[in-house]
Coordinates of all heavy atoms in Angstrom, one line a residue:
D16 N -77.2 -105.3 24.0 CA -78.6 -105.7 24.0 C -79.1 -106.3 22.6 O -79.7 -107.4 22.6 CB -79.5 -104.5 24.3 CG -79.4 -103.9 25.6 OD1 -78.9 -104.8 26.6 OD2 -79.8 -102.9 26.0
V17 N -78.7 -105.7 21.5 CA -79.0 -106.2 20.2 C -78.4 -107.6 19.9 O -79.1 -108.4 19.5 CB -78.7 -105.1 19.1 CG1 -78.8 -105.7 17.7 CG2 -79.6 -103.8 19.2
L18 N -77.2 -107.6 20.3 CA -76.4 -108.9 20.1 C -77.1 -110.0 20.9 O -77.3 -111.1 20.3 CB -74.9 -108.7 20.4 CG -74.0 -109.8 19.8 CD1 -74.1 -110.0 18.5 CD2 -72.6 -109.4 20.2
R19 N -77.4 -109.7 22.1 CA -77.9 -110.9 23.1 C -79.3 -111.3 22.4 O -79.7 -112.4 22.4 CB -78.2 -110.3 24.4 CG -78.9 -111.2 25.4 CD -77.9 -112.4 25.8 NE -77.9 -113.4 25.0 CZ -77.1 -114.4 25.0 NH1 -76.0 -114.4 25.6 NH2 -77.1 -115.5 24.1
Y20 N -80.1 -110.2 21.9 CA -81.4 -110.5 21.4 C -81.2 -111.4 20.1 O -81.9 -112.4 20.0 CB -82.2 -109.2 21.1 CG -83.7 -109.5 20.8 CD1 -84.6 -109.6 21.8 CD2 -84.0 -109.7 19.5 CE1 -85.9 -110.0 21.5 CE2 -85.4 -109.9 19.2 CZ -86.2 -110.0 20.1 OH -87.6 -110.4 19.8
V21 N -80.4 -111.0 19.2 CA -80.2 -111.9 18.0 C -79.6 -113.3 18.3 O -80.0 -114.1 17.6 CB -79.3 -111.0 17.1 CG1 -79.0 -111.8 15.8 CG2 -80.1 -109.7 16.5
L22 N -78.7 -113.2 19.3 CA -78.2 -114.6 19.7 C -79.4 -115.6 20.2 O -79.4 -116.7 19.9 CB -77.2 -114.4 20.8 CG -75.8 -114.1 20.1 CD1 -74.9 -113.6 21.3 CD2 -75.1 -115.4 19.6
D23 N -80.3 -114.9 20.9 CA -81.5 -115.7 21.5 C -82.6 -115.9 20.4 O -83.2 -117.0 20.7 CB -82.1 -114.9 22.7 CG -81.1 -114.8 23.9 OD1 -80.2 -115.6 24.0 OD2 -81.5 -114.0 24.8
R24 N -82.6 -115.1 19.5 CA -83.8 -115.2 18.5 C -83.3 -115.1 17.0 O -83.5 -114.0 16.4 CB -84.8 -114.2 18.8 CG -85.6 -114.6 20.1 CD -86.3 -113.4 20.5 NE -86.9 -113.5 21.9 CZ -86.1 -113.0 22.9 NH1 -84.9 -112.6 22.8 NH2 -86.5 -113.2 24.2
P25 N -82.3 -115.9 16.6 CA -81.8 -115.7 15.2 C -82.8 -115.7 14.3 O -83.8 -116.4 14.4 CB -80.9 -117.0 15.1 CG -81.0 -117.9 16.3 CD -81.9 -117.2 17.3
G26 N -82.8 -114.9 13.2 CA -83.7 -114.7 12.2 C -84.6 -113.5 12.5 O -85.7 -113.3 11.7
T27 N -84.5 -112.9 13.6 CA -85.4 -111.8 13.9 C -85.2 -110.6 12.9 O -84.1 -110.5 12.4 CB -85.1 -111.3 15.4 OG1 -86.2 -110.5 15.7 CG2 -83.9 -110.5 15.5
G28 N -86.3 -109.8 12.8 CA -86.2 -108.7 11.9 C -85.9 -107.4 12.7 O -86.1 -107.4 14.0
T29 N -85.5 -106.4 12.0 CA -85.1 -105.2 12.8 C -86.3 -104.5 13.5 O -86.2 -103.9 14.5 CB -84.4 -104.2 11.8 OG1 -85.4 -104.0 10.6 CG2 -83.1 -104.6 11.4
S30 N -87.5 -104.6 12.9 CA -88.6 -103.9 13.4 C -89.1 -104.6 14.8 O -89.3 -103.9 15.7 CB -89.8 -103.8 12.5 OG -90.3 -105.1 12.0
A31 N -89.0 -106.0 14.7 CA -89.3 -106.7 15.9 C -88.2 -106.6 17.0 O -88.5 -106.4 18.2 CB -89.3 -108.2 15.6
L32 N -87.0 -106.5 16.6 CA -85.9 -106.1 17.4 C -86.1 -104.7 18.1 O -86.0 -104.6 19.3 CB -84.6 -106.0 16.6 CG -83.3 -105.9 17.3 CD1 -83.0 -106.9 18.6 CD2 -82.2 -106.0 16.4
A33 N -86.6 -103.7 17.3 CA -86.7 -102.4 17.8 C -87.9 -102.4 18.9 O -87.7 -101.8 19.9 CB -86.9 -101.4 16.8
R34 N -88.8 -103.1 18.5 CA -90.2 -103.1 19.3 C -89.8 -103.8 20.8 O -90.1 -103.3 21.8 CB -91.3 -103.7 18.6 CG -92.6 -103.8 19.4 CD -93.6 -104.5 18.4 NE -93.3 -105.7 17.8 CZ -93.1 -106.0 16.6 NH1 -92.9 -104.9 15.6 NH2 -92.7 -107.1 16.1
E35 N -89.1 -104.9 20.7 CA -88.7 -105.7 21.8 C -87.8 -105.0 22.8 O -88.0 -105.1 23.9 CB -88.2 -107.0 21.4 CG -87.8 -108.0 22.6 CD -88.9 -108.4 23.4 OE1 -90.1 -108.5 22.8 OE2 -88.8 -108.8 24.5
L36 N -86.9 -104.3 22.1 CA -85.9 -103.7 23.0 C -86.3 -102.2 23.3 O -85.6 -101.5 24.1 CB -84.5 -103.7 22.3 CG -83.9 -105.0 22.1 CD1 -82.6 -104.9 21.4 CD2 -83.8 -105.7 23.4
G37 N -87.4 -101.7 22.8 CA -87.9 -100.4 23.1 C -87.0 -99.3 22.5 O -86.8 -98.1 23.1
L38 N -86.4 -99.5 21.3 CA -85.5 -98.6 20.6 C -86.2 -98.1 19.4 O -87.1 -98.8 18.8 CB -84.2 -99.4 20.3 CG -83.4 -99.8 21.4 CD1 -82.3 -100.7 20.9 CD2 -82.9 -98.8 22.3
H39 N -85.7 -96.9 19.0 CA -86.1 -96.4 17.7 C -85.6 -97.2 16.6 O -84.4 -97.7 16.6 CB -85.8 -95.0 17.6 CG -86.4 -94.0 18.5 ND1 -87.7 -93.6 18.3 CD2 -86.1 -93.4 19.7 CE1 -88.2 -92.9 19.3 NE2 -87.1 -92.6 20.0
A40 N -86.3 -97.5 15.5 CA -85.9 -98.2 14.3 C -84.6 -97.7 13.9 O -83.8 -98.4 13.5 CB -87.0 -98.3 13.3
S41 N -84.4 -96.4 13.7 CA -83.2 -95.8 13.3 C -82.0 -96.1 14.1 O -80.9 -96.4 13.6 CB -83.4 -94.3 13.0 OG -83.6 -93.7 14.3
N42 N -82.2 -96.1 15.4 CA -81.1 -96.5 16.4 C -80.7 -98.0 16.1 O -79.5 -98.4 16.2 CB -81.5 -96.2 17.8 CG -81.6 -94.8 18.1 OD1 -81.1 -93.9 17.3 ND2 -82.3 -94.5 19.1
V43 N -81.8 -98.8 16.0 CA -81.5 -100.3 15.7 C -80.7 -100.4 14.4 O -79.7 -101.2 14.2 CB -82.8 -101.1 15.7 CG1 -82.6 -102.5 15.2 CG2 -83.4 -101.2 17.2
S44 N -81.1 -99.7 13.4 CA -80.5 -99.9 12.0 C -79.0 -99.5 12.2 O -78.2 -100.2 11.7 CB -81.2 -99.1 11.0 OG -82.4 -99.5 10.8
T45 N -78.8 -98.4 12.9 CA -77.4 -97.9 13.1 C -76.6 -98.9 13.9 O -75.4 -99.2 13.5 CB -77.4 -96.6 13.8 OG1 -78.1 -95.7 13.1 CG2 -75.9 -96.2 14.0
T46 N -77.2 -99.5 14.9 CA -76.5 -100.5 15.7 C -76.2 -101.7 15.0 O -75.1 -102.3 15.0 CB -77.3 -100.8 17.0 OG1 -77.5 -99.7 17.8 CG2 -76.7 -102.0 17.9
V47 N -77.2 -102.2 14.2 CA -77.0 -103.4 13.4 C -75.8 -103.1 12.4 O -75.1 -104.1 12.2 CB -78.4 -103.8 12.8 CG1 -78.2 -104.8 11.6 CG2 -79.4 -104.3 13.8
R48 N -75.9 -102.0 11.7 CA -74.9 -101.7 10.7 C -73.5 -101.8 11.4 O -72.6 -102.5 10.7 CB -75.0 -100.4 10.1 CG -75.8 -100.2 8.8 CD -75.7 -99.0 8.1 NE -76.1 -97.8 8.9 CZ -77.2 -97.3 9.1 NH1 -78.3 -97.9 8.7 NH2 -77.5 -96.2 9.9
G49 N -73.4 -101.4 12.6 CA -72.2 -101.4 13.3 C -71.7 -102.9 13.5 O -70.5 -103.4 13.5
L50 N -72.7 -103.7 14.0 CA -72.4 -105.1 14.4 C -72.2 -105.8 13.2 O -71.3 -106.9 13.1 CB -73.6 -105.6 15.2 CG -73.8 -105.1 16.6 CD1 -75.1 -105.6 17.2 CD2 -72.7 -105.4 17.5
V51 N -72.8 -105.6 12.0 CA -72.4 -106.2 10.7 C -70.9 -105.9 10.3 O -70.3 -106.8 9.9 CB -73.4 -105.8 9.7 CG1 -73.0 -106.3 8.2 CG2 -74.8 -106.4 9.9
A52 N -70.6 -104.6 10.3 CA -69.2 -104.2 10.1 C -68.1 -104.9 11.0 O -67.1 -105.1 10.5 CB -69.2 -102.6 10.2
Q53 N -68.5 -105.2 12.1 CA -67.7 -105.9 13.1 C -67.6 -107.4 12.8 O -66.9 -108.2 13.5 CB -67.9 -105.6 14.6 CG -67.7 -104.1 14.9 CD -68.3 -103.9 16.3 OE1 -67.6 -104.4 17.3 NE2 -69.3 -103.1 16.5
G54 N -68.5 -107.9 12.0 CA -68.6 -109.3 11.8 C -69.4 -110.1 12.8 O -69.0 -111.2 12.9
L55 N -70.3 -109.3 13.5 CA -71.0 -110.1 14.7 C -72.4 -110.5 14.3 O -72.9 -111.4 14.9 CB -71.0 -109.2 15.8 CG -69.6 -108.8 16.4 CD1 -69.6 -107.9 17.5 CD2 -68.9 -110.2 16.8
I56 N -72.9 -109.8 13.3 CA -74.2 -110.1 12.8 C -74.2 -110.1 11.3 O -73.5 -109.4 10.7 CB -75.3 -109.1 13.3 CG1 -75.6 -109.2 14.7 CG2 -76.6 -109.1 12.6 CD1 -76.5 -108.2 15.3
R57 N -75.1 -111.0 10.7 CA -75.1 -111.1 9.3 C -76.6 -110.8 8.9 O -77.5 -111.3 9.7 CB -74.6 -112.3 8.7 CG -75.3 -113.4 8.9 CD -74.5 -114.8 8.2 NE -75.4 -115.8 8.3 CZ -75.5 -116.7 9.3 NH1 -75.1 -116.4 10.4 NH2 -76.4 -117.7 9.2
R58 N -76.9 -110.2 7.7 CA -78.3 -109.9 7.3 C -78.5 -110.9 6.2 O -77.6 -111.2 5.3 CB -78.3 -108.5 6.7 CG -78.3 -107.4 7.5 CD -78.6 -106.1 6.9 NE -78.4 -105.0 7.6 CZ -77.4 -104.0 7.6 NH1 -76.5 -104.2 6.8 NH2 -77.5 -103.0 8.4

């Protein structure tokens, strides 16, 4: 979900991402950290 959203809206912020996907900010941060570690998202 996070990856698809970032692909559709590059440059989005984590708070907008959390709001749009209905996720807690802490969950989004954890997910983003994992996707960054996998080389799928960059900050």
Side-chain angles (χ1 to χ4, degrees):
D16 290 344
V17 167
L18 194 54
R19 176 79 270 159
Y20 190 86
V21 172
L22 281 160
D23 289 343
R24 294 165 195 83
T27 193
T29 54
S30 57
L32 180 60
R34 188 174 48 255
E35 180 65 23
L36 296 179
L38 300 171
H39 291 283
S41 61
N42 293 345
V43 168
S44 294
T45 301
T46 299
V47 166
R48 266 194 307 277
L50 292 170
V51 167
Q53 293 176 63
L55 299 174
I56 289 180
R57 69 180 191 282
R58 291 185 182 106

